[in-house]
Amino acid sequence: MKSTLKELELAVSQLSPEDLAAFRTWFAEFDAAAWDKQIEKDVAAGRLDVLAEKALKHLREGRCTDL
């Protein structure tokens, strides 16, 4: 796998500025989608329940501030 990563690094380093910008946009969208999938899995598995309960408790106690 390391050789694949090195190949990717080399390929990205040789992109034109325009292609690098397009790659950056694509990768940001790809990474966000991967993050969303992981969050969905964690929610479905109940891994965030403790954090959600803690946040709701703080909200009920008035320990939150508006953003």
Side-chain angles (χ1 to χ4, degrees):
M1 180 171 290
K2 286 193 178 220
S3 64
T4 302
L5 178 57
K6 291 294 180 189
E7 291 167 4
L8 284 169
E9 289 172 349
L10 179 61
V12 169
S13 72
Q14 294 175 350
L15 292 174
S16 69
E18 296 81 12
D19 285 344
L20 181 58
F23 175 76
R24 190 178 292 120
T25 299
W26 172 84
F27 187 78
E29 292 169 1
F30 173 83
D31 196 40
W35 175 259
D36 289 347
K37 286 178 187 175
Q38 184 61 52
I39 290 292
E40 288 171 8
K41 284 181 184 179
D42 289 346
V43 168
R47 291 187 190 106
L48 302 177
D49 290 354
V50 171
L51 294 175
E53 285 301 321
K54 184 177 179 181
L56 290 171
K57 180 179 182 241
H58 285 192
L59 180 64
R60 286 190 297 271
E61 294 172 351
R63 296 171 53 191
C64 297
T65 57
D66 291 336
L67 297 177

